[in-house]
Amino acid sequence: MELIDAIRQRRTTNGPFEQRPVSLEHQHLLIEAAGRAPSHFNSQPWRFILIDDPSVRSQIATIGGRTMQQLMERGTFFQRYKKYFRFSEEEMEARRDGILIDQLPMMLKPFIKQVFSDTVLSLMSKLGVPSMLGEDNRKLIEGSPLILAVMLDKEEYIPDALSGFYCQLSMGMAIEHIWLLTQELGMGIQFISTPMEIPEAWQELKELLRVPDGLELMALYRLGYVPQDAKRNRIDWKSDQRKRLSQLAFRNTCATPEPDASPRSTV
Ligand SMILES: Cc1cc2nc3c(=O)[nH]c(=O)nc-3n(C[C@H](O)[C@H](O)[C@H](O)COP(=O)(O)O)c2cc1C
């Protein structure tokens, strides 16, 4: 696969993975790819936990399910991220960013546009949507043969110092190396982010993973091989839109947006 094709085809996998374990060879390749990322003064501040033990994965899944349900019940998730939700293909085409929830149980379809209103949020609670999403999230995580925890060395990672930014930047690059390589390996990857939204749950994860004081737990991902006939989740979204050249780039100064490339060019 050409690198530019890998970049253009890179996606987040929202759906379930095959049950089969991720080979040790592939696990080590993913860590090698991460370790090849650039870092300030080649400090390589990242550390990783390869989690394939069923009981540890199951405990993470329980936390993932519980936190998804809590966020839905509290409505905080929708309030916090409502600016990213799009409700039509036209809106996606116009904005060229955000996520479009295009897969929904019939009973919820009439309410999707009012999903941010307290009335609909409480109706969704009565309809059991938070526990349904919680259970879906728990199953997705439990069914993922590999979970990857990403940490930063606190020797390097000082949040309020420049090194804090440098560490996060290089961490992002290390994760992107992994994300790009997953395709080559027939794998997929998705953030497990709901525990990050609830500090007690994040602390619980640190204890479960026995993260030492010298390391900061930064992110968690679920990985696995992508099934040929992948079934979409009951509630699912798509986010394949990208901004145009003119929305992303300027020429020489910010006074001159870069014109969109002519249809003939490949950009
Ligand atoms: C900092 C960050 C947080 C993210 N959090 C989540 C998340 O909680 N759940 C999820 O499914 N994807 C998450 N993603 C993936 C984005 O939703 C995804 O990259 C974006 O919608 C574009 O879709 P794509 O990755 O398929 O191209 C996150 C990505 C980043 C960089």
Side-chain angles (χ1 to χ4, degrees), residues 57-71 133-139 141 192-196 198 201 204-205 220:
R57 287 189 289 119
S58 170
Q59 290 172 71
I60 295 172
T62 303
I63 296 170
R66 190 186 72 223
T67 48
M68 171 67 89
Q69 181 167 350
Q70 287 172 307
L71 288 170
L133 286 171
E135 183 53 14
D136 283 1
N137 203 35
R138 187 195 66 72
K139 277 199 209 131
I141 299 170
I192 300 175
S193 66
T194 55
M196 294 170 94
I198 300 184
E204 206 179 324
L205 279 170
L220 217 57

Side-chain angles (χ1 to χ4, degrees), residues 10-12 14 99 190-191 193 237 239 242:
R10 186 211 55 75
R11 286 285 173 281
T12 297
N14 297 345
I99 66 169
Q190 183 182 32
F191 252 99
S193 66
W237 65 88
S239 52
R242 289 299 185 274

Side-chain angles (χ1 to χ4, degrees), residues 11-133:
R11 286 285 173 281
T12 297
T13 304
N14 297 345
F17 295 124
E18 289 179 7
Q19 289 304 303
R20 65 186 165 106
V22 174
S23 72
L24 204 55
E25 183 213 350
H26 286 170
Q27 294 186 33
H28 293 170
L29 264 179
L30 292 170
I31 299 300
E32 182 198 343
R36 282 276 150 220
S39 59
H40 59 297
F41 295 96
N42 193 27
S43 54
Q44 302 169 53
W46 348 270
R47 302 290 178 276
F48 305 94
I49 312 175
L50 294 162
I51 305 162
D52 53 7
D53 175 90
S55 110
V56 180
R57 287 189 289 119
S58 170
Q59 290 172 71
I60 295 172
T62 303
I63 296 170
R66 190 186 72 223
T67 48
M68 171 67 89
Q69 181 167 350
Q70 287 172 307
L71 288 170
M72 293 299 141
E73 276 159 357
R74 296 175 189 173
T76 37
F77 186 85
F78 288 117
Q79 291 315 324
R80 195 173 287 168
Y81 300 119
K82 65 183 172 188
K83 68 176 179 178
Y84 301 114
F85 287 84
R86 311 281 172 257
F87 296 103
S88 68
E89 296 282 1
E90 295 67 39
E91 198 189 347
M92 276 296 262
E93 183 50 32
R95 289 288 313 263
R96 312 265 306 200
D97 63 10
I99 66 169
L100 173 66
I101 298 184
D102 63 338
Q103 171 98 355
L104 264 183
M106 287 312 281
M107 68 172 181
L108 293 181
K109 287 205 167 135
F111 306 113
I112 190 61
K113 289 206 170 152
Q114 293 89 31
V115 72
F116 306 121
S117 70
D118 293 345
T119 333
V120 169
L121 279 174
S122 65
L123 176 68
M124 294 231 292
S125 288
K126 290 198 189 74
L127 291 170
V129 173
S131 56
M132 181 178 82
L133 286 171

Side-chain angles (χ1 to χ4, degrees), residues 199-253:
E200 315 82 73
W202 202 240
Q203 185 53 38
E204 206 179 324
L205 279 170
K206 288 184 186 174
E207 283 150 26
L208 171 65
L209 300 174
R210 301 166 66 177
V211 177
D213 292 348
L215 295 177
E216 188 63 68
L217 181 63
M218 299 299 289
L220 217 57
Y221 297 86
R222 63 183 193 93
L223 298 94
Y225 297 109
V226 176
Q228 294 311 315
D229 57 350
K231 225 162 64 40
R232 297 190 71 190
N233 302 336
R234 285 188 281 193
I235 295 183
D236 199 5
W237 65 88
K238 62 180 190 174
S239 52
D240 50 2
Q241 286 287 7
R242 289 299 185 274
K243 290 187 181 303
R244 298 183 183 84
L245 195 56
S246 59
Q247 294 173 297
L248 283 177
F250 300 94
R251 175 63 58 182
N252 296 321
T253 74

